[in-house]
Amino acid sequence: MLFAFIGRFITLCARHAWAVVALFVLLSGGGVYAGMTRLGVTTDTSKMLSPRLAWKQRSDEMGRLFPQKENLLVAVIEADIPEEGAETARALADTLAADHRNFTFARRPDANPYLMRNGLMFLDEQPLTTVLNDTITAQPFLAALAQDPSARGLFGALSLIAQGIKLGQGNLAGFQTPLNGFATTLEQAVAGHAQDMSWQRLLGGQLSDLAGRYQFVVTKPVLDYGSFQPGGAAADAMRKAISTLEFVRNGHVKVHVTGQVQIDDEEFATVAEGMVAGLLGSLALVTLWLTLAVRSWRVVLPIVLTLVVGLLLTTGFAAVAVGTLNLISVAFAILFVGIAVDFAIQFSVRFRAQNPPALGETRLFEALRMTGEETGHQILVAALATSAGFMAFTPTAFLGVAQLGLIAGVGMLVAFICTTTLLPALLKICRPPLNCPSMGYAFMRPVDVSIRRHRKVLLVVFGVVALAGLGLVPALQFDGDPLHTKNPNSEGMRALNLLIDNPQTSPYSAELLTASVQEAEQKAERLSALPDVHDVMWLGSFVPTDQKQKLALIQDAASLLLPTLIVPQPKPAPDAAALRASAADTAKALAEVVTTLPAKDPLRRIQAALASLAQAPDPVVLAANEALVRFLPAELDQLRTMLQATPVTIKDIPPVIADDYLLPDGRALVEIHPKGVMSSSNALHRFVASLQKVEPDMAGTAVDIVESARSIVLAFEQAAGAAVVMIAIILMLALRRVKDMALVLAPLLLSALMTVILIVMLPETLNFANIIALPLLLGVGVSFNIYFVMNWREGIKFPLASPTARAVMFSALTTGTAFGSLALSHHPGTASMGRLLLLSLACTLIGTLIFVPALLPKRPIDDV
């Protein structure tokens, strides 16, 4: 009954071809209009999973309570010397803070006056003692510089060193490194290549390294989620400001842009990179396969037009039903073309093979009717089963794939409608020739016979393969870290990789919200004891410990140093002549003692350079003065400030710091940093598991990654189960026999297990991008298998020699071409999706073309 109805309906559409085409033109126009006016794309990855999940609610609540920590754009500053980095950071922060159009705020977290004033107190007692003793030893040197913060004062201080050596009191063992640095700077200046000298390293020694190699400017950009790159305008503004900075222009400083906003924007740009070329190349290859499949442009053109119209209608549905696509659901177009083309090929190949006895136009109508009766119900079952495979994801918590499932599921039904209405109408208009018996593969008959004769051996082999795949299922690993699916060569990822090994700057942290500061202290102490934890930050972390002992040491040093460092009226800046005279005097003083020093002592180099500087022209001398003492006043100011430290409590912590750890209602945040590198999925899972054993209500980036992986895996387990059940129901209703339903599902499960084997053996890690191969495997596998099983029911004894096999092969080629365009993507996640789709497609073909013929119940073949 259904067979005849579909045949008559297809004939009706062909008889009214121009009306059908006109109707679809109007519908396509509506789809285009809806797509242009209502369809958008969001790159907000936080909306990929359902807000109903408990861990997601905690994560969203953290984002709401501490918005200043979300969606940041960060400049990572790498400088030759710390002062150049600090000056670059200061200038950049000032520029961006004034740009209210693109930035909400711009801050330097490591340059807060509170932290700088109490810098010495944050040291442990032993390192603090060492630093203060070294500074006291250098007191005469520092006093001379405070009196005259110029190269003249510096040269005068070196003269004091010469006097000390002459008197036998010049123990310079602890100053070899800074003196070597000074000698190098002086030699460069004399050679006409003056380079600024780092007084922070000269005076701070190892203390200067504690702050780390990089300095940061943290900004909150104004985002436009209607754009493909929401932070694009802010990032452009930041780069423009960076390009104007002095030390960036002269090459002494490199500034890397990273942060969540930059990485998300780069991800979309990477996904889009080469997309147009890939799509055009894919369409060209698809057209080639279609031409080889149906051997007539009069059939290729209707197929291509049918696909285009189906895609436009599906896009219109997406615009109305969804409105905004995410980074996963944007793949619906390629997936639609890759799968829907199968329906058109199946119909067209069998249509070309028809040879009705009628003549003229009646012959074409009769061929369409016969094709409809032969293939219409098969395509309908395939479309319903494929749609069910997609739709199974719609109710899951993985909203990214749920959205794709809805669009693609409806798209399969749209593809069926277009194949049974528009395609026959276009075929009638184009009038392709019929009676093409070579549509089948006659040369494959011996293969059919061989498979049937050795079916038991093949079934045993495939049984072993299935058992192997089943045994390897536990070896499958799911990597939920979204950083692993991004382009590692993008600017944001390269910058992030510079920071990832440092627990303080690593993106893999966890957070816990407590009821009060007192509870935060207790939780921090407990969590700090865990073996996987490097450190725990809470509001009290910004209050130095052991203040009484440390302040005593600082005050003792201050009593000796401050009287000579605080100079109300330092000497005015010298001119070139005064600098030359001072250089000559110091060179003369050093000349009297350098002969007593070791051959490699830096004072020998300093003496020679000063002697040369005393003869240099004014520009060289003045440039040397600028290079030597440019950053000296700021360093002396910082030393004076730190030596005047006073006791502090939590109440003294400034709001810009406190707001990151304390809410107005008294709730307090605890931030936990992991020990070791967390780029490994197993390490990250261990870290989160150890925290959740102590505090189940953890949040933060590390928890989000682990919990999102669990949620995605659970969503796919639920969807896979639901898809198999729905497909089984559809097959049962269509085939009416349990055995026939099993003949379709068995190769489907075998294909899945073969895919497991390949994933483990290659290996190919599963991630949130490529795991969508599962519903596609179900959909494509059911489509291919149903044709063979239903043909067998209708008495076809040589499945591989039939037009169906030809259609399946070229459907696989067109589908593989679409997936192959994904595999060539510059985006690692998209590329892995394409690779896994190709693997699953290959396994599906093996299951369909070898396992299904062997599995079909035995029939006599020698009498045919």
Side-chain angles (χ1 to χ4, degrees):
M1 185 68 179
L2 179 63
F3 302 174
F5 172 77
I6 294 178
R8 290 196 300 271
F9 178 74
I10 287 175
T11 304
L12 177 66
C13 292
R15 291 185 183 278
H16 300 86
W18 288 111
V20 171
V21 170
L23 174 62
F24 274 96
V25 168
L26 289 175
L27 293 174
S28 299
V32 171
Y33 176 78
M36 294 178 63
T37 58
R38 301 186 58 172
L39 189 63
V41 177
T42 179
T43 54
D44 188 355
T45 55
S46 66
K47 297 180 179 178
M48 287 288 192
L49 288 155
S50 171
R52 299 189 303 271
L53 296 168
W55 67 267
K56 187 69 168 60
Q57 290 177 346
R58 292 195 297 271
S59 178
D60 292 344
E61 180 71 357
M62 286 292 189
R64 186 185 66 81
L65 295 174
F66 300 96
Q68 69 273 25
K69 292 186 173 186
E70 298 289 313
N71 296 321
L72 300 179
L73 191 63
V74 181
V76 181
I77 298 165
E78 182 180 7
D80 291 345
I81 61 174
E83 289 91 338
E84 290 178 340
E87 177 60 24
T88 299
R90 182 200 60 76
L92 180 60
D94 289 347
T95 300
L96 300 184
D99 183 1
H100 301 296
R101 178 181 178 182
N102 292 303
F103 300 95
T104 304
F105 65 75
R107 299 170 182 162
R108 296 173 58 201
D110 49 356
N112 186 277
Y114 170 85
L115 298 177
M116 298 179 72
R117 183 175 66 254
N118 298 294
L120 291 174
M121 285 205 294
F122 283 105
L123 296 174
D124 291 335
E125 192 168 342
Q126 183 56 50
L128 174 62
T129 302
T130 302
V131 168
L132 292 175
N133 288 339
D134 289 345
T135 307
I136 291 171
T137 302
Q139 188 269 340
F141 184 75
L142 296 174
L145 294 175
Q147 291 285 340
D148 187 358
S150 68
R152 178 182 56 196
L154 176 59
F155 299 157
L158 290 172
S159 297
L160 295 178
I161 293 177
Q163 293 178 15
I165 295 173
K166 188 181 295 185
L167 297 174
Q169 300 173 354
N171 182 9
L172 302 177
F175 295 92
Q176 293 299 297
T177 299
L179 286 174
N180 269 312
F182 172 69
T184 299
T185 302
L186 192 58
E187 288 169 344
Q188 291 173 336
V190 171
H193 307 292
Q195 302 289 334
D196 294 330
M197 186 171 67
S198 174
W199 283 93
Q200 184 173 322
R201 290 176 179 169
L202 194 69
L203 298 179
Q206 296 180 352
L207 180 63
S208 66
D209 297 328
L210 296 179
R213 180 181 177 185
Y214 306 102
Q215 300 190 49
F216 306 93
V217 175
V218 177
T219 71
K220 180 84 169 179
V222 176
L223 302 179
D224 176 15
Y225 282 115
S227 167
F228 289 150
Q229 294 180 295
D236 289 343
M238 177 178 282
R239 291 190 184 92
K240 182 178 179 181
I242 290 170
S243 67
T244 65
L245 301 175
E246 173 189 354
F247 297 115
V248 173
R249 293 202 311 271
N250 64 24
H252 291 183
V253 168
K254 295 179 181 178
V255 182
H256 314 276
V257 180
T258 187
Q260 180 183 347
V261 170
Q262 173 69 11
I263 291 173
D264 287 349
D265 283 359
E266 285 175 345
E267 178 168 33
F268 190 87
T270 306
V271 170
E273 185 179 356
M275 182 176 288
V276 174
L279 184 58
L280 292 176
S282 176
L283 288 175
L285 280 176
V286 166
T287 303
L288 173 62
W289 302 140
L290 290 175
T291 303
L292 294 175
V294 297
R295 299 182 180 179
S296 173
W297 69 267
R298 295 178 184 273
V299 181
V300 172
L301 182 60
I303 292 176
V304 172
L305 291 176
T306 300
L307 289 176
V308 170
V309 169
L311 181 58
L312 293 177
L313 294 179
T314 304
T315 303
F317 168 78
V320 174
V322 175
T324 303
L325 302 175
N326 57 58
L327 286 174
I328 292 180
S329 59
V330 291
F332 83 90
I334 289 179
L335 301 184
F336 176 89
V337 173
I339 298 177
V341 71
D342 171 62
F343 304 159
I345 291 177
Q346 287 291 338
F347 187 94
S348 301
V349 167
R350 300 199 202 181
F351 167 72
R352 288 271 282 147
Q354 302 296 339
N355 186 23
L359 297 174
E361 193 172 77
T362 304
R363 174 179 169 82
L364 187 144
F365 291 142
E366 185 66 13
L368 287 171
R369 182 191 63 76
M370 294 168 61
T371 304
E373 292 182 356
E374 179 182 321
T375 66
H377 61 293
Q378 296 181 0
I379 295 174
L380 174 60
V381 174
L384 290 174
T386 306
S387 179
F390 283 115
M391 289 289 193
F393 287 85
T394 304
T396 67
F398 191 10
L399 299 183
V401 173
Q403 189 180 90
L404 176 65
L406 175 63
I407 299 170
V410 171
M412 294 302 97
L413 302 180
V414 170
F416 169 75
I417 293 171
C418 291
T419 302
T420 53
T421 53
L422 179 61
L423 181 58
L426 292 172
L427 288 172
K428 189 267 181 183
I429 293 171
C430 291
R431 297 178 178 274
L434 299 175
N435 190 19
C436 187
S438 60
M439 283 291 107
Y441 290 138
F443 64 88
M444 291 297 290
R445 282 198 175 201
V447 179
D448 273 317
V449 173
S450 180
I451 289 176
R452 303 298 294 165
R453 285 178 177 170
H454 300 90
R455 62 190 301 266
K456 291 183 179 180
V457 175
L458 288 173
L459 292 178
V460 169
V461 171
F462 280 119
V464 172
V465 170
L467 290 175
L470 196 61
L472 288 175
V473 168
L476 290 176
Q477 291 188 345
F478 183 83
D479 185 358
D481 190 342
L483 295 181
H484 294 169
T485 64
K486 302 181 190 301
N487 183 1
N489 298 316
S490 66
E491 180 184 8
M493 285 302 299
R494 287 201 309 270
L496 187 63
N497 286 330
L498 297 174
L499 313 175
I500 209 164
D501 292 340
N502 184 346
Q504 297 290 339
T505 56
S506 170
Y508 304 106
S509 62
E511 297 174 335
L512 178 67
L513 193 60
T514 62
S516 64
V517 171
Q518 293 74 22
E519 184 180 353
E521 181 177 13
Q522 297 170 3
K523 300 290 187 183
E525 184 176 351
R526 186 179 181 188
L527 292 168
S528 297
L530 297 177
D532 293 315
V533 172
H534 178 273
D535 66 272
V536 179
M537 297 292 293
W538 63 290
L539 188 61
S541 302
F542 295 91
V543 179
T545 59
D546 302 322
Q547 291 189 42
K548 184 176 180 180
Q549 297 90 323
K550 293 176 183 179
L551 281 171
L553 293 173
I554 294 172
Q555 289 167 357
D556 286 345
S559 64
L560 296 173
L561 295 169
L562 284 180
T564 57
L565 291 179
I566 299 176
V567 180
Q569 293 184 338
K571 292 183 178 180
D575 57 18
L579 290 169
R580 266 194 298 269
S582 178
D585 292 342
T586 303
K588 181 179 179 181
L590 288 174
E592 298 175 0
V593 298
V594 292
T595 55
T596 65
L597 300 176
K600 294 185 178 180
D601 193 287
L603 282 178
R604 288 178 174 269
R605 295 168 56 202
I606 292 173
Q607 191 276 331
L610 286 173
S612 299
L613 187 65
Q615 306 298 322
D618 287 2
V620 172
V621 173
L622 293 174
N625 178 70
E626 175 71 8
L628 289 169
V629 300
R630 175 173 182 173
F631 299 117
L632 173 61
E635 190 64 24
L636 290 175
D637 285 343
Q638 178 60 26
L639 180 59
R640 295 184 191 104
T641 300
M642 290 192 297
L643 288 172
Q644 298 180 71
T646 57
V648 293
T649 66
I650 282 183
K651 294 181 180 180
D652 297 310
I653 299 174
V656 71
I657 296 176
D659 289 348
D660 285 345
Y661 294 90
L662 186 65
L663 295 171
D665 60 7
R667 286 182 292 172
L669 184 72
V670 177
E671 188 177 87
I672 306 100
H673 300 129
K675 183 182 294 181
V677 179
M678 292 291 108
S679 55
S680 157
S681 181
N682 290 335
L684 191 62
H685 277 74
R686 284 196 304 271
F687 170 62
V688 172
S690 68
L691 297 180
Q692 290 178 330
K693 286 180 181 178
V694 179
E695 295 293 339
D697 293 333
M698 281 284 173
T701 306
V703 177
D704 288 351
I705 292 173
V706 171
E707 292 294 349
S708 64
R710 291 172 182 165
S711 299
I712 290 171
V713 170
L714 178 61
F716 273 87
E717 289 174 349
Q718 295 170 342
V724 170
V725 170
M726 287 192 293
I727 290 172
I729 293 173
I730 292 171
L731 293 175
M732 193 64 196
L733 292 174
L735 303 176
R736 308 283 180 88
R737 288 203 294 256
V738 174
K739 180 177 69 174
D740 293 351
M741 178 189 71
L743 289 175
V744 176
L745 290 181
L748 192 64
L749 298 178
L750 174 66
S751 301
L753 293 174
M754 287 193 294
T755 304
V756 169
I757 294 174
L758 291 178
I759 291 173
V760 175
M761 297 297 292
L762 286 177
E764 183 72 49
T765 303
L766 292 175
N767 55 56
F768 72 90
N770 65 24
I771 201 171
I772 68 168
L774 175 60
L776 299 176
L777 171 65
L778 295 174
V780 174
V782 168
S783 297
F784 290 174
N785 298 339
I786 193 69
Y787 301 138
F788 277 76
V789 173
M790 295 185 81
N791 283 349
W792 171 81
R793 281 164 55 100
E794 294 171 10
I796 295 177
K797 297 180 180 179
F798 298 99
L800 298 183
S802 68
T804 299
R806 178 187 185 88
V808 165
M809 284 298 300
F810 280 100
S811 292
L813 282 173
T814 53
T815 302
T817 298
F819 294 164
S821 68
L822 297 177
L824 296 176
S825 171
H826 296 282
H827 181 258
T830 304
S832 70
M833 180 200 306
R835 290 194 302 269
L836 193 54
L837 289 171
L838 287 175
L839 290 178
S840 64
L841 179 62
C843 294
T844 299
L845 274 180
I846 293 173
T848 300
L849 298 179
I850 301 177
F851 181 61
V852 170
L855 187 65
L856 292 174
K858 191 171 183 179
R859 284 177 173 171
I861 59 175
D862 296 331
D863 58 345
V864 180

